[in-house]
Amino acid sequence: MSRPEYTAPPEVFYNESESRKYTSSSRIQHIQASMTLRALDLLALPPNQFILDIGCGSGLSGEILTKEGSNVWIGMDISPSMLATALDRDVEGDLFLADMGNGVPFRAGSFDAVISISAIQWLCNADTSAADPKRRLARFFDSLYSAVRRGGKVACQFYPKNDEQTSSILAAAKSAGFSGGLVVDGEESRKNRKYYLILTSGSVGADDINLDGVTVDKQKAVHRKKGAETRKDYIKRKKDVMRKRGKLVALDSKFTGRKRKTKF
C-alpha cells in the first residue's frame, strides 16, 4: 500500500470522503489516541497548558488534549475537509487553515507546548517543482522555535520513509535552535515502530528571539525554592525515564538507524 504523502498532496488526499472515513475508523481513533497520550507522557506537561496541534486533522488528538489536563488548544491543518469534519464534530479547540511548510503563523512566544501526530513527514515530500523539502523543513522549525515560549516543549510523532528523512528532520530542528532528541518506540518491530521528536526551545532567561520583526523580551530568571529540584537534576531524571521507555538519539548525533545508545 502506497504511503499517503506519495499519493497526493494532503489537501487533495484528505478530501471530504477520506476525511470522514479516516475519522470514523475505530482503528485510527485508537492509534491517534495512544500516540497522543504517548507524546504527552514524554512531554510531562503540567495541566492547563496552551497547546498548538500541528496537523490536527479532524481533532482526534485535540480531544485527548482537552481530556488530559484540561488544556486549551489551537489546531492547524492544510486540509479544509479535515477541518470541516472537526467543526461538524464540535471539537473544543480553535481551528486554523494553514500549510506548515510555509511556517507556523503565530506570534512569537504564543504557546506553552506543541504536539504533532503523524504529520511532519509530509514536509519531506515535494508535491511541486517549487516545493523544496529542505526549505520547507527550515521554515517550519524556524517559525516553530519562535512560536513556542522560552522553555516550551514540542513533541512530533512522525513516520519517516528512511534514515535520510529522519536525519533531515533532526538537522532542521537543531539548526533552528532546538535541543532534544528522538525517542523510538518498538524499535525491534518495523511495523509497530514509532518515532517521537522531543524538543525544548531553551530555558527561562535565554536570549531574545526574532521572527519577521517580532521580538520576545528576555524573561526574568525564576528563583528556585530552597531544596527544590534543580534544572540539571530534572533533565537527568527525564533522560533516565526516556531511555527506559524508548531509544533516544540526540540532535547533535548522526542518525544511522542502528541500535545504539546516544547521550541527550
Side-chain angles (χ1 to χ4, degrees), residues 10 18 35 45-46 55 59 80 86 123 125 137 176 190 236 263:
E18 187 65 29
M35 292 191 299
L45 298 173
L123 293 169
N125 186 47
L137 282 168
R190 184 176 182 83
K236 182 178 183 299
K263 290 187 177 180

Side-chain angles (χ1 to χ4, degrees), residues 237-254:
R237 176 168 60 83
K238 294 308 296 180
K239 284 184 192 177
D240 292 338
V241 172
M242 293 170 77
R243 286 195 183 98
K244 290 178 181 178
R245 294 177 177 174
K247 196 69 68 176
L248 183 64
V249 179
L251 289 183
D252 56 359
S253 301
K254 184 177 180 181

Side-chain angles (χ1 to χ4, degrees), residues 28 36 44 124 157 167 183 203 212 238 240 245 247 254:
I28 294 296
T36 304
C124 299
Q157 182 278 324
S167 295
V183 175
S203 59
D212 296 333
K238 294 308 296 180
D240 292 338
R245 294 177 177 174
K247 196 69 68 176
K254 184 177 180 181

Side-chain angles (χ1 to χ4, degrees), residues 67 85 92:
K67 293 176 182 178
T85 302
E92 292 291 333

Side-chain angles (χ1 to χ4, degrees), residues 182-240:
L182 187 69
V183 175
V184 184
D185 286 352
E187 188 173 18
E188 68 286 348
S189 171
R190 184 176 182 83
K191 181 180 179 180
N192 297 318
R193 193 177 303 163
K194 299 292 187 300
Y195 292 76
Y196 295 86
L197 182 62
I198 308 301
L199 307 170
T200 177
S201 66
S203 59
V204 174
D207 292 336
D208 297 350
I209 56 174
N210 299 277
L211 180 67
D212 296 333
V214 179
T215 303
V216 176
D217 293 333
K218 187 181 297 183
Q219 299 184 31
K220 295 181 180 180
V222 177
H223 295 285
R224 295 190 303 271
K225 294 181 179 180
K226 186 176 181 180
E229 183 181 45
T230 65
R231 178 173 175 77
K232 182 177 180 181
D233 291 337
Y234 170 80
I235 292 174
K236 182 178 183 299
R237 176 168 60 83
K238 294 308 296 180
K239 284 184 192 177
D240 292 338

Side-chain angles (χ1 to χ4, degrees), residues 39-104:
L40 291 175
D41 178 55
L42 289 168
L43 291 179
L45 298 173
N48 302 308
Q49 297 288 284
F50 188 34
I51 300 176
L52 174 63
D53 183 357
I54 298 175
C56 66
S58 56
L60 295 178
S61 53
E63 289 179 332
I64 304 300
L65 295 180
T66 301
K67 293 176 182 178
E68 299 292 320
S70 301
N71 299 295
V72 176
W73 59 278
I74 291 179
M76 61 176 279
D77 200 279
I78 194 174
S79 168
S81 296
M82 275 291 202
L83 295 179
T85 302
L87 288 173
D88 289 343
R89 299 176 63 243
D90 197 25
V91 297
E92 292 291 333
D94 292 327
L95 304 174
F96 194 87
L97 179 65
D99 178 3
M100 61 181 168
N102 291 332
V104 178

